[in-house]
């Protein structure tokens, strides 16, 4: 683990001061939580896999013109990112009904939605990330109208791109969560994609079998979490040839 000053420790990641002003090191832990921290566990090697999956996806999104906080991957568990002010709104994009929306609207899991649905939640662990409307974001000043427009536009572009990417490797992108931040450049600032994109924050189903390849394996005690995460990385063509548990053990000894 980095010996730099810790800025923040979250459920799955730690942020450290970066080498230059305006940079941060994002360290991916093996800790897994669900149901707002009520269920906790450790998935050996998860941080390593999520680091490389998120790197791969953020680079690809950068290549299609979506601004992100990503600079470069530094090690098996660390990436260098730009310091941003996180907008306290979680953006959920859904293509198929699963999870929260099923209970809320009485939908059967697996029902395709007529069109991609963008939802907003207020980012607050204490309040369990409640679903909010655009009006709440504006009323409480969490983001302005232009930012909401940009966030929605980027979210739908990310969805289009990732749906295609995953469909090409036999995976359905059911839903996922994005976070955005403000990147300050002098007096001005730009909206950029932040946080991570990995099986921790996506629902990914095998196109043929419907097998879950995401954090629902952990949430629902299905087992085989790391095999599923590795399978996603393998299909993306980014899994290092060595077994990830071996890599994780190696890193633990190093740190
Ligand atoms: O299943 P649950 O009710 O916890 O959440 P959801 O609103 O159905 O989640 C939609 C998608 O966003 C899933 O892929 C979740 O993994 C992801 N999500 C997340 O990564 N972090 C959150 N705080 C909430 C949702």
């Amino acid at each position: 683990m980095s010996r730099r000053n810790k800025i923040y420790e979250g459920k799955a990641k730690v942020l450290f001061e970066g080498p230059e002003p305006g940079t941060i090191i994002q360290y991916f832990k093996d800790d897994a939580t669900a149901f707002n921290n009520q269920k906790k566990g450790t998935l050996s090697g998860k941080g390593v896999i999520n680091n490389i999956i998120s790197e791969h996806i953020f680079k690809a999104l950068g290549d299609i013109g979506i601004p992100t906080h990503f600079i470069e991957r530094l090690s098996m568990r660390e990436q260098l990112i730009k310091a941003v002010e996180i907008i306290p709104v979680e953006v959920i994009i859904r293509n198929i009904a699963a999870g929260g929306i099923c209970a809320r609207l009485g939908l059967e899991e697996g029902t395709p939605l007529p069109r991609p649905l963008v939802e907003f939640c207020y980012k607050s662990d204490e309040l369990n990330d409640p679903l909010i409307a655009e009006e709440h974001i504006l009323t409480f000043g969490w983001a302005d109208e232009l930012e909401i427009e940009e966030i929605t536009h980027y979210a739908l572009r990310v969805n289009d791109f990732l749906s295609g990417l995953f469909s090409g490797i036999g995976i359905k992108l059911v839903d996922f969560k994005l976070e955005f931040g403000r990147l300050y450049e002098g007096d001005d600032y730009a909206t950029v994609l932040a946080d991570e994109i990995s099986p921790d924050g996506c629902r990914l189903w095998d196109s043929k079998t419907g097998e879950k390849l995401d954090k629902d394996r952990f949430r629902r005690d299905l087992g085989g979490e790391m095999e599923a995460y590795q399978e996603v990385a393998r299909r993306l063509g980014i899994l290092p040839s060595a077994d990830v548990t071996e890599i994780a053990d190696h890193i633990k000894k190093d740190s």
Side-chain angles (χ1 to χ4, degrees):
M1 174 123 34
S2 174
R3 279 175 199 86
R4 295 174 179 278
N5 286 336
K6 192 192 282 189
I7 300 172
Y8 172 81
E9 177 149 9
K11 286 175 278 192
K13 295 188 292 290
V14 189
L15 301 181
F16 294 96
E17 271 175 11
E20 311 285 339
T23 66
I24 285 178
I25 293 171
Q26 176 163 256
Y27 177 96
F28 287 74
K29 300 192 281 186
D30 285 344
D31 297 350
T33 62
F35 311 118
N36 198 24
N37 245 341
Q38 286 174 42
K39 182 176 163 125
K40 290 184 189 172
T42 305
L43 301 173
S44 184
K46 175 174 78 82
V48 175
I49 292 289
N50 281 356
N51 188 18
I52 58 167
I53 291 178
S54 201
E55 172 199 17
H56 182 75
I57 292 177
F58 270 69
K59 273 186 182 162
L61 292 173
D63 288 346
I64 62 158
I66 293 173
T68 83
H69 71 168
F70 183 82
I71 303 175
E72 61 173 336
R73 183 162 65 81
L74 298 173
S75 68
M76 296 303 279
R77 287 181 186 274
E78 292 172 320
Q79 46 181 248
L80 188 65
I81 57 172
K82 295 173 190 166
V84 299
E85 177 183 72
I86 291 289
I87 295 172
V89 173
E90 299 199 338
V91 183
I92 312 268
I93 301 93
R94 301 180 186 275
N95 298 304
I96 297 172
I101 198 171
C102 292
R104 208 183 326 126
L105 299 181
L107 297 171
E108 197 182 326
E109 183 177 80
T111 311
L113 301 179
R115 59 177 211 175
L117 176 65
V118 179
E119 292 179 336
F120 301 113
C121 297
Y122 178 47
K123 192 171 152 61
S124 162
D125 283 343
E126 300 86 77
L127 301 174
N128 211 357
D129 303 331
L131 182 72
I132 51 169
E134 228 176 281
E135 282 299 314
H136 296 91
I137 302 178
L138 294 172
T139 299
F140 296 106
W142 295 322
D144 65 25
E145 257 175 88
L146 179 65
E147 286 175 321
I148 298 175
E149 204 179 290
E150 279 182 325
I151 286 171
T152 307
H153 170 76
Y154 289 144
L156 290 170
R157 280 190 64 200
V158 171
N159 185 47
D160 272 352
F161 178 79
L162 289 186
S163 294
L165 178 80
F166 282 119
S167 144
I169 54 172
I171 293 174
K172 279 188 204 168
L173 178 62
V174 174
D175 58 31
F176 61 103
K177 187 230 4 175
L178 297 177
E179 290 186 29
F180 291 87
R182 296 184 186 102
L183 177 66
Y184 285 88
E185 288 149 345
D187 288 343
D188 210 3
Y189 55 81
T191 309
V192 304
L193 186 64
D195 194 45
E196 70 176 299
I197 300 180
S198 72
D200 267 4
C202 301
R203 285 196 172 88
L204 303 169
W205 295 353
D206 182 272
S207 307
K208 280 210 194 98
T209 64
E211 192 191 353
K212 296 183 196 308
L213 301 171
D214 56 62
K215 203 163 91 172
D216 270 351
R217 300 208 72 82
F218 173 74
R219 291 190 188 98
R220 300 186 183 191
D221 292 321
L222 299 173
E225 294 90 343
M226 282 326 300
E227 289 74 11
Y229 282 42
Q230 282 183 59
E231 180 60 19
V232 174
R234 193 174 294 119
R235 290 194 202 179
L236 286 169
I238 53 171
L239 190 67
S241 51
D243 177 70
V244 74
T245 319
E246 220 172 88
I247 298 168
D249 286 347
H250 176 72
I251 288 167
K252 268 186 209 147
K253 273 181 220 138
D254 272 3
S255 56

